[in-house]
Amino acid sequence: MELFSAPWFSALLAIILIDLVLAGDNAIVIALAARSLPREHQRKAIVWGTVGAIVVRSAMTVGVVWLLKIPGLMLVGGLGLLYIAYKLLADTHDGDDEHASAGVTTFWGAMKTIVIADALMGIDNVLGVAGAAHGDFVLVILGLLISVPIVVFGSTLVLKLVQRFPVIIQLGAAVLAFTAGKMIVNEKMLATWFGGSSTSNQIAYWGVCALCIVGVLAAGWLKTRRRARTPEEGRAGNDKVAA
C-alpha cells in the first residue's frame, strides 16, 4: 500500500475506529484493577499497565499469522476473560474489610491482572488492526501507538467515575463479560452452533453472551455477600462465647 495514499489513509481511519471501539475494554480493566491501590500509585498503575498492555499487544501483532492457526484460541481467551471479569468484581471491597483479597491492593497484583486481561482481550484488537492494515507494517505500528493515549485517557476517566459512582464496577464487569462471550461465540470451532444466520444460531449466539454477563454478575454478588456474612457470623459467635 502506497504511503499517504487514499487507501492508506482509509486503512488508518479504520484502525483508529477499531482502537476507539476495542480499547474501551482495556481502559475498563486497567481502571478496575487500579481502583484499590493507594491514590499515589493509581496513576503509575495506569501508565505501566498501559505499557505492559502495549508490549503484550506488540508481541501478539508480530505473531498474528501464527495465532490465527491456533484452534480454540478465542474460546480459551473468552473463558479466561470471564474469570478476570469475575475476579475484578469479586475483589470489590470497602477499605475496612479485613477479609478482602489483598492481591489487587498491591501494585504488582494490579499489573498482573492488567497484563493477563489485555493478553486475553487483545486478540480481537490485534486481528482487527492486522486485517485493516492489509499487511502494511507501518500502519500496524501506528495502530499500536494510537491505542496508547486512548487507553491511558480512558483508564483515567473510568477510574474517576468508579470512585464517584461505584455501580460502574458492575457495569465494567458486565462489559468484560460481554467481550468474553463474544470471543467464545466467534470461535471458529463453534461456528456450527453460533456462526449461521438462522434464528436458532442467533438465539444461541446472543444467549451465550447474555449468560456470560448474568453469570459473572451473579457470581460476583454471591462472593461479595458471602464475604460480608462471614464477619457477621464471627461476631455472633464471639457474642455467644462472651455470654
Side-chain angles (χ1 to χ4, degrees):
M1 193 182 302
E2 186 179 348
L3 195 65
F4 302 128
S5 63
W8 190 89
F9 278 110
S10 176
L12 179 61
L13 178 60
I15 289 173
I16 292 173
L17 291 176
I18 290 171
D19 279 331
L20 285 172
V21 172
L22 297 182
D25 294 337
N26 302 91
I28 289 172
V29 76
I30 290 174
L32 294 185
R35 73 184 188 277
S36 298
L37 295 175
R39 188 174 297 275
E40 62 271 17
H41 291 160
Q42 288 179 346
R43 181 66 181 176
K44 184 170 71 170
I46 288 175
V47 172
W48 284 106
T50 301
V51 170
I54 296 302
V55 169
V56 170
R57 192 170 300 180
S58 300
M60 293 176 67
T61 300
V62 173
V64 67
V65 176
W66 178 72
L67 289 173
L68 284 170
K69 298 179 181 179
I70 302 178
L73 180 65
M74 295 291 280
L75 174 61
V76 173
L79 294 175
L81 187 56
L82 275 179
Y83 179 72
I84 293 290
Y86 161 73
K87 285 294 292 178
L88 288 173
L89 189 59
D91 285 339
T92 301
H93 59 275
D94 296 324
D96 58 348
D97 188 353
E98 61 183 1
H99 294 271
S101 170
V104 295
T105 61
T106 66
F107 176 77
W108 290 112
M111 289 301 95
K112 181 176 70 173
T113 298
I114 291 169
V115 172
I116 292 175
D118 191 81
L120 296 173
M121 290 188 301
I123 297 172
D124 53 357
N125 186 283
V126 167
L127 295 180
V129 169
H134 301 290
D136 190 313
F137 188 71
V138 173
L139 282 174
V140 172
I141 297 301
L142 283 175
L144 289 170
L145 295 177
I146 290 169
S147 67
V148 174
I150 294 174
V151 173
V152 170
F153 176 76
S155 302
T156 304
L157 178 61
V158 172
L159 183 58
K160 290 180 179 178
L161 291 174
V162 165
Q163 292 170 341
R164 188 169 182 181
F165 307 106
V167 70
I168 293 178
I169 296 173
Q170 280 72 33
L171 294 176
V175 170
L176 296 180
F178 178 70
T179 302
K182 293 274 286 184
M183 291 175 66
I184 292 171
V185 296
N186 284 321
E187 167 59 50
K188 292 182 178 179
M189 292 175 56
L190 305 178
T192 304
W193 291 277
F194 307 115
S197 57
S198 65
T199 302
S200 59
N201 286 139
Q202 292 300 303
I203 291 175
Y205 185 100
W206 294 110
V208 168
C209 292
L211 182 62
C212 288
I213 295 172
V214 173
V216 164
L217 293 179
W221 177 76
L222 288 173
K223 177 70 173 181
T224 303
R225 186 180 181 187
R226 190 178 301 117
R227 182 187 296 143
R229 185 183 298 172
T230 301
E232 294 177 1
E233 293 174 350
R235 284 193 293 269
N238 291 336
D239 291 341
K240 288 181 180 180
V241 173

